[in-house]
Amino acid sequence: MRFNGGYPLTFIGGVLAVTLLLLGGAGMLPSIRVIPRSLWENAGLAWLAGCAAFVIGGTLGLALGIPFSILSGLAVVVCLLSGWKAWERGDFTECGKSTTNFNRASTLFLGILGIGSITLTLSLPINAFDPLLHFAYKGKILFYEGGALNQALTGMEGEAGLFGRIVTHPNYPLGVPLLEAFAAWLGGNWDDRWVQFPLAFWAAAIPPVVFFGLRSISINTAKIGALVSAAIPIIYVRDFLSEDNVNPAMASLGNTSSLGGWGDLPVAALLAGGCALLWQAREKPCQRAGLVAGVLVAGGACMKNEGLAIAGVFALALLFAGALFSKGQTEKSRRATWIALAALITAIIPWLLLRSNLPSIDENYLAHFHPSRISHFLLGGPELVEKAPKVMVGQAPELLANPPQRRMLVPMYFGEELFDWRSWGLLWPLVIAALLAPSTRKDPNQRWLALLVIGGLLLYALILLITPWYLPLLRDKGIPERLMLHLVGPASMLAAAWCSTYTEPTKN
């Protein structure tokens, strides 16, 4: 921690950012009397709701050209008013009346993982490629320059009219940079360690929201879901117990950590929260829960480009599962689902407006979703070896002579991940069992979660099939597992719901 001209420490700014976003999210949620939940569940949901609303509102303000300092000041006022609303209706005191019924061992396990993930996030420096160049650099632009539409992101023209590449992927969403810049603004200066404070709670928020979503089945099922989601190693680190992960000298220098200033864990946490809230919105039913569910999924779209794609899969899963039109559910459940979908579409618009003013460099995947390109690789077209680093420097002539087929690489990479216990534990075998179970197809909520998981995996397989990058290099950087990480919330809920068919007493 360091002082900067007498301003408060950025550490304090980080703490204030977390407190304000928690208060802001708490007021957005349905009353505890409408949907009961414990303090633990409420904190996880409130945190995700506050973050989602802040990045959506901040993105809209940036698209309209409002200076970041004004946006931050408005956010402080709104969060305080929202927190006061939650206090007035008694949410903070009512939380104590709901229990999770965890035993001491489970409570200790969840506590160690939650507190440990927060501590480890704040201990890691911002020195990996994505946290440094995709996110923190843009956060500095927002903090110091006051807006996104400046030359650092929009590009620069030289005397010959050439486009200047200032940052990598300028059209990456600004959710993480907004949160970092908010902590810096509240603290009065930028500190690479403490601006990560608002990013330290993603892993800790996933188990409570999974628990909340499964409450309507039973507390026992909710406990299974929370423990399953907490025990997925890749949420914290990829390839658990591999050599890189036990070497302190390599801390945060590679692609092994999921914690810190990356974009994948925020997408995973927000999607988990959106799924949990929508499940409850349909069960109670509750229109406000549906509204916030849509906001959370849209918040994921503001964190990483793939969040926009998975939001589309989320909407299609609801459509094809019959959640929007099926007569086998109440009118109020359908209405809550429609509200979630409308909120999702509306809340994504600010990012689409801002994105239209930012150049696409390497990340314009829509241009690659062309039938001819897809059929080229599906029919056995060779890997793009000219993008391989060794080929670019003339050190791998054998690749040019005999390039691998991408249609063989994609299923191999995903297959390896599905049964990689070091990264996923038993999550995917449980999910596969759930997908094959008749009970999953019969239950409306499990059905749309199943379609979301299947659709997400197929979408990411298609993205890797048509990517302009050299695919084996992406594999070395932790893809597809970093994409599959986005699905841990619905996958955990699906696995726990299937387990409940064997752990819950049979109803006569």
Side-chain angles (χ1 to χ4, degrees):
M1 296 182 289
R2 64 175 183 268
F3 288 95
N4 184 11
Y7 285 103
L9 299 174
T10 312
F11 171 84
I12 297 176
V15 174
L16 286 174
V18 171
T19 304
L20 288 166
L21 293 173
L22 273 169
L23 291 173
M28 293 173 59
L29 297 172
S31 168
I32 295 288
R33 295 180 178 87
V34 176
I35 305 183
R37 53 194 181 269
S38 66
L39 182 61
W40 179 57
E41 297 163 80
N42 196 61
L45 290 166
W47 169 245
L48 295 177
C51 287
F54 175 77
V55 300
I56 291 167
T59 299
L60 176 61
L62 294 174
L64 297 176
I66 301 174
F68 179 73
S69 58
I70 294 178
L71 294 175
S72 297
L74 289 172
V76 171
V77 174
V78 171
C79 286
L80 289 174
L81 291 175
S82 183
W84 175 252
K85 177 183 178 181
W87 176 267
E88 273 197 322
R89 67 189 187 197
D91 282 1
F92 298 118
T93 53
E94 289 289 326
C95 282
K97 297 180 180 180
S98 295
T99 179
T100 57
N101 288 336
F102 282 112
N103 58 31
R104 289 184 180 180
S106 296
T107 301
L108 182 62
F109 174 71
L110 291 168
I112 289 173
L113 289 178
I115 295 171
S117 66
I118 294 168
T119 304
L120 186 58
T121 300
L122 297 177
S123 69
L124 294 174
I126 300 180
N127 58 9
F129 186 86
D130 278 15
L132 185 65
L133 295 179
H134 288 336
F135 299 114
Y137 182 70
K138 295 179 178 70
K140 290 180 180 180
I141 292 170
L142 298 178
F143 176 61
Y144 290 109
E145 302 297 328
L149 299 179
N150 87 11
Q151 288 183 327
L153 292 179
T154 60
M156 186 179 296
E157 294 283 340
E159 292 183 1
L162 299 176
F163 179 79
R165 180 178 177 134
I166 309 301
V167 300
T168 60
H169 308 335
N171 69 334
Y172 252 38
L174 294 173
V176 171
L178 278 163
L179 291 171
E180 291 177 325
F182 188 47
W185 183 82
L186 288 167
N189 70 324
W190 181 282
D191 185 288
D192 279 343
R193 185 174 304 280
W194 300 120
V195 295
Q196 292 189 99
F197 222 106
L199 314 178
F201 298 88
W202 306 120
I206 293 175
V209 301
V210 169
F211 185 101
F212 171 78
L214 295 171
R215 256 186 180 274
S216 55
I217 297 179
S218 73
I219 292 296
N220 191 46
T221 302
K223 290 194 293 185
I224 293 173
L227 292 171
V228 166
S229 65
I232 301 172
I234 199 171
I235 289 180
Y236 317 98
V237 65
R238 181 167 63 93
D239 292 335
F240 181 58
L241 296 181
S242 68
E243 183 179 346
D244 287 346
N245 292 324
V246 296
N247 181 3
M250 291 297 295
S252 193
L253 289 171
N255 295 290
T256 56
S257 176
S258 299
L259 301 170
W262 303 81
D264 298 295
L265 201 51
V267 175
L270 288 163
L271 182 62
C275 290
L277 272 164
L278 183 56
W279 187 310
Q280 289 292 335
R282 289 167 50 78
E283 287 292 319
K284 291 306 175 185
C286 176
Q287 295 182 24
R288 181 187 283 266
L291 175 69
V292 182
V295 170
L296 259 63
V297 179
C302 292
M303 295 295 179
K304 199 176 182 189
N305 279 334
E306 289 84 359
L308 184 61
I310 206 65
V313 175
F314 179 89
L316 290 174
L318 292 173
L319 175 64
F320 289 117
L324 297 170
F325 301 103
S326 175
K327 295 181 180 180
Q329 52 197 320
T330 66
E331 176 63 29
K332 289 183 177 180
S333 292
R334 286 198 299 272
R335 189 180 305 155
T337 310
W338 274 106
I339 287 174
L341 185 58
L344 168 61
I345 295 171
T346 303
I348 283 177
I349 291 175
W351 167 233
L352 297 179
L353 289 173
L354 183 59
R355 194 173 190 260
S356 66
N357 292 305
L358 297 172
S360 298
I361 301 178
D362 303 322
E363 280 290 309
N364 187 14
Y365 273 91
L366 285 177
H368 298 285
F369 273 91
H370 193 277
S372 62
R373 184 177 181 86
I374 295 172
S375 62
H376 167 76
F377 288 114
L378 281 178
L379 295 175
E383 176 56 48
L384 303 177
V385 294
E386 65 272 14
K387 293 275 190 175
K390 288 186 177 180
V391 170
M392 294 171 72
V393 295
Q395 293 181 1
E398 70 281 358
L399 278 179
L400 289 171
N402 187 27
Q405 291 185 354
R406 187 172 283 187
R407 71 175 182 183
M408 304 299 292
L409 295 177
V410 172
M412 180 178 71
Y413 292 162
F414 276 85
E416 289 173 351
E417 285 305 313
L418 289 176
F419 300 99
D420 177 15
W421 68 268
R422 289 194 311 176
S423 289
W424 299 100
L426 295 177
L427 176 67
W428 292 112
L430 289 173
V431 170
I432 292 171
L435 293 175
L436 296 175
S439 58
T440 301
R441 294 188 292 273
K442 293 178 182 178
D443 183 84
N445 285 320
Q446 293 179 51
R447 191 163 59 239
W448 68 260
L449 278 181
L451 289 177
L452 173 57
V453 171
I454 294 171
L457 292 174
L458 292 176
L459 169 71
Y460 291 146
L462 181 59
I463 287 176
L464 292 188
L465 185 71
I466 53 93
T467 181
W469 300 103
Y470 178 53
L471 190 54
L473 180 62
L474 294 184
R475 176 61 170 160
D476 291 340
K477 292 184 175 181
I479 297 173
E481 56 263 49
R482 280 170 53 193
L483 298 179
M484 294 169 66
L485 174 64
H486 304 165
L487 301 170
V488 295
S492 299
M493 293 175 67
L494 197 62
W498 172 75
C499 289
S500 72
T501 61
Y502 298 96
T503 58
E504 294 298 318
T506 303
K507 297 180 181 178
N508 296 321

